[in-house]
Amino acid sequence: MKHIFYSLVLLLSLSACKENPSGEDGAMTSTPEKQRDSVQDFAIVIHGGAGTILKENMTDSLETAYEAKLTEAIQTGYKILQNGGTSLEAVQRTINVMENSPLFNSAKGAVFNHEGKNELDASIMDGKTLNAGAVAGVTNIKNPINLANEVMVNSEHVLLSGKGAEEFAEEQGLEIVDPSYFFTQKRYDALQRTLEQEKTAKKDTKTAFYDPFIKDDKYGTVGCVALDKNGNLAAGTSTGGMNNKRYNRIGDSPIIGAGTYANNKTCGVSSTGWGEYFMRGLVAYDISAMMEYGGKSLKEATDAVIQKKLTNMGGTGGIISLDNNGNVSMEFNTPGMYRAYMNDKGELQLGIYKELQK
Ligand code: ASP
């Protein structure tokens, strides 16, 4: 009798292990598959940077071009999710569309550093496993978000930088381009203007490099957060960093917890703005932590972190985020942020300035 009882217990515990294999893939926490009682079966949100984006400085044709590219990008991810694809896949392909567009400060269209080079940063995070990958200061990778994903999936590391990251990219067979691929006249001219302004700026101020007068040229990062039909959240961010950056400066975008964060228990976040503040405020993780430990809703957490904490620190920028029910928050304290959201019914919200346009 005792024998039968112990065999039964063993059998039951074995089958329980099989149902929850998340411990086997190196997950830090075992997050159970979400109950599919969501508000949204799946959802996706993107940004194309935050800053002083004003209607009066925008031409109709440029506005149309941004709207079209944001729509194309979000629909790319939407279709993947609609067809049952993963949130990680949706995040990468959506970001690829924006990385390949000269409109954004990311890959093609990235800002120039002080020496006239493009140095790219990106990161991605899987909300199911809390696994993450990131790259910083790469100069010849066509789509840095894909390399961040390779770091997450095919290395034991989280963040690779510079030459080493580029060597890893070659090993993984990623598309390598000549650095001249990233050149755009608009960004080059922006650097020249900044260099001119620097000549007359006070040399001794610690903030001369980040002079508020010239800071608008440094925005335009791209990011995406997606929730798939299995309830898995993923988030990613890709950027050229800040115009006129020096000394191999690295911003928040490749820093997990600052520029990117995803956790199925709470939310996914991608940040854009003045990276030094996002790093010091650990903005993306802070939002998740307020939800996890403080019981806040996504709206409450993003409002507290962006409108109060970041603003009080003097930081500028914004975030896009989804909670694990597909609720969205697109919060920013700058005049504008390129952004779009689609729910599972295919309804699109799109905005550039304070108010949503669609
Ligand atoms: N956060 C980025 C950085 O500091 C810039 C941006 O989002 O525009 O590198």
Side-chain angles (χ1 to χ4, degrees):
M1 194 62 191
K2 231 176 168 184
H3 253 93
I4 297 174
F5 174 74
Y6 283 129
S7 309
L8 213 70
V9 169
L10 189 71
L11 252 169
L12 277 173
S13 51
L14 272 175
S15 69
C17 281
K18 239 181 147 186
E19 270 165 29
N20 186 9
S22 51
E24 289 167 15
D25 55 15
M28 290 166 70
T29 57
S30 59
T31 309
E33 283 289 310
K34 185 164 78 82
Q35 303 278 307
R36 301 312 293 146
D37 57 356
S38 313
V39 175
Q40 300 298 327
D41 204 22
F42 64 96
I44 183 164
V45 62
I46 60 173
H47 71 73
T52 310
I53 309 162
L54 297 168
K55 179 98 181 147
E56 53 265 36
N57 298 338
M58 183 77 83
T59 61
D60 284 351
S61 62
L62 195 57
E63 191 177 289
T64 308
Y66 273 111
E67 284 181 8
K69 199 45 85 175
L70 288 169
T71 305
E72 181 193 335
I74 200 161
Q75 279 176 350
T76 302
Y78 177 86
K79 279 180 204 137
I80 291 168
L81 298 170
Q82 192 182 34
N83 292 332
T86 66
S87 50
L88 281 168
E89 181 73 14
V91 163
Q92 279 180 82
R93 297 301 148 245
T94 301
I95 288 183
N96 288 162
V97 173
M98 294 187 281
E99 283 181 332
N100 296 345
S101 163
L103 289 173
F104 305 99
N105 171 18
S106 165
K108 178 79 190 165
V111 295
F112 287 87
N113 69 9
H114 189 70
E115 290 78 36
K117 296 195 172 117
N118 307 104
E119 289 174 328
L120 314 170
D121 305 332
S123 65
I124 193 162
M125 185 158 182
D126 178 355
K128 181 182 178 187
T129 60
L130 301 188
N131 210 351
V135 290
V138 294
T139 59
N140 63 359
I141 313 301
K142 187 175 181 211
N143 293 108
I145 194 72
N146 299 357
L147 181 55
N149 188 64
E150 291 298 323
V151 173
M152 174 170 77
V153 175
N154 289 324
S155 87
E156 66 240 25
H157 308 297
V158 170
L159 174 58
L160 299 182
S161 71
K163 288 271 165 283
E166 290 169 0
E167 202 181 306
F168 179 70
E170 275 185 47
E171 279 173 25
Q172 299 303 313
L174 285 192
E175 191 168 350
I176 310 289
V177 290
D178 188 89
S180 62
Y181 163 80
F182 300 109
F183 180 91
T184 55
Q185 195 63 47
K186 180 183 98 174
R187 299 296 188 188
Y188 188 73
D189 292 346
L191 174 67
Q192 302 315 312
R193 276 199 304 277
T194 308
L195 293 175
E196 274 307 307
Q197 287 159 5
E198 258 190 351
K199 281 185 196 157
T200 51
K202 270 198 215 139
K203 265 225 161 119
D204 57 344
T205 56
K206 213 177 135 201
T207 53
F209 168 43
Y210 295 128
D211 189 325
F213 182 53
I214 56 181
K215 77 182 176 195
D216 291 340
D217 280 333
K218 70 195 175 191
Y219 296 117
T221 296
V222 307
C224 177
V225 179
L227 171 73
D228 65 29
K229 287 183 177 175
N230 285 321
N232 292 318
L233 282 162
T237 310
S238 181
T239 189
M242 282 183 168
N243 176 44
N244 194 33
K245 62 189 180 181
R246 290 172 103 159
Y247 315 119
N248 297 116
R249 177 263 187 193
I250 294 166
D252 61 313
S253 304
I255 306 299
I256 296 301
T260 299
Y261 197 74
N263 184 341
N264 279 4
K265 278 190 195 164
T266 54
C267 62
V269 180
S270 170
S271 311
T272 176
W274 198 332
E276 278 65 12
Y277 288 90
F278 281 75
M279 284 191 273
R280 287 160 55 204
L282 219 60
V283 163
Y285 177 72
D286 209 22
I287 291 166
S288 172
M290 284 188 85
M291 294 175 73
E292 185 170 3
Y293 306 119
K296 301 286 182 212
S297 70
L298 181 73
K299 187 74 206 135
E300 288 166 340
T302 54
D303 179 70
V305 172
I306 300 300
Q307 304 303 352
K308 300 190 180 79
K309 191 170 162 181
L310 181 76
T311 304
N312 290 341
M313 285 171 79
T316 47
I319 54 90
I320 47 150
S321 57
L322 291 176
D323 70 12
N324 54 15
N325 281 325
N327 293 308
V328 66
S329 178
M330 302 183 271
E331 202 70 54
F332 52 99
N333 66 3
T334 46
M337 181 169 80
Y338 299 104
R339 62 201 185 278
Y341 165 74
M342 276 179 94
N343 63 16
D344 58 3
K345 284 163 221 68
E347 291 159 345
L348 172 72
Q349 289 181 2
L350 193 142
I352 296 178
Y353 318 105
K354 270 274 172 263
E355 308 299 329
L356 286 168
Q357 269 126 285
K358 282 181 189 156

